Amino acid sequence: MFDAEIAEAIGIKNLESGGKFSFSGVTGKKEYGYMHTVTLKIHGCSYRTKVGFSKSISDRGYGIVGQKGFFDYFSVKFDYSEKSVVLTKKEWT
């Protein structure tokens, strides 16, 4: 999920034309976002996936990746002591 400004920056003219969904964060307050199918380019790989965009994400926040559309395509290894993240593409069918 990304801030609505990202949707605008990548050419999505009408945010509300996507499928509406609700979510809540740590406050428990119900918020809304809109799903759009976009092409993501990560670690030299391009693929189409559904991405949620919302006006309710803090302007100081970052994108949030999820199980579907990211972790099902990549293995991620976090090494806190080395301060590193290793991203490996899974075999795609």
Side-chain angles (χ1 to χ4, degrees):
M1 184 170 357
F2 296 100
D3 185 82
E5 289 182 2
I6 301 293
E8 183 179 329
I10 64 171
I12 296 173
K13 305 280 188 232
N14 181 4
L15 183 67
E16 290 80 13
S17 68
K20 188 175 184 179
F21 66 95
S22 64
F23 66 96
S24 62
V26 294
T27 65
K29 181 181 174 191
K30 192 174 197 177
E31 303 288 354
Y32 295 95
Y34 300 89
M35 296 295 282
H36 289 270
T37 300
V38 301
T39 299
L40 290 181
K41 295 180 182 179
I42 300 171
H43 198 56
C45 304
S46 295
Y47 63 98
R48 293 193 53 80
T49 190
K50 291 182 179 180
V51 174
F53 297 94
S54 176
K55 295 177 182 177
S56 300
I57 295 177
S58 168
D59 59 358
R60 295 173 304 240
Y62 297 95
I64 302 167
V65 296
Q67 291 181 33
K68 293 185 178 184
F70 185 80
F71 289 114
D72 53 348
Y73 290 107
F74 297 94
S75 294
V76 182
K77 178 185 173 191
F78 298 94
D79 188 323
Y80 183 78
S81 64
E82 294 291 323
K83 295 184 174 40
S84 69
V85 177
V86 177
L87 189 64
T88 306
K89 183 181 95 168
K90 292 180 181 177
E91 292 300 318
W92 299 356
T93 57

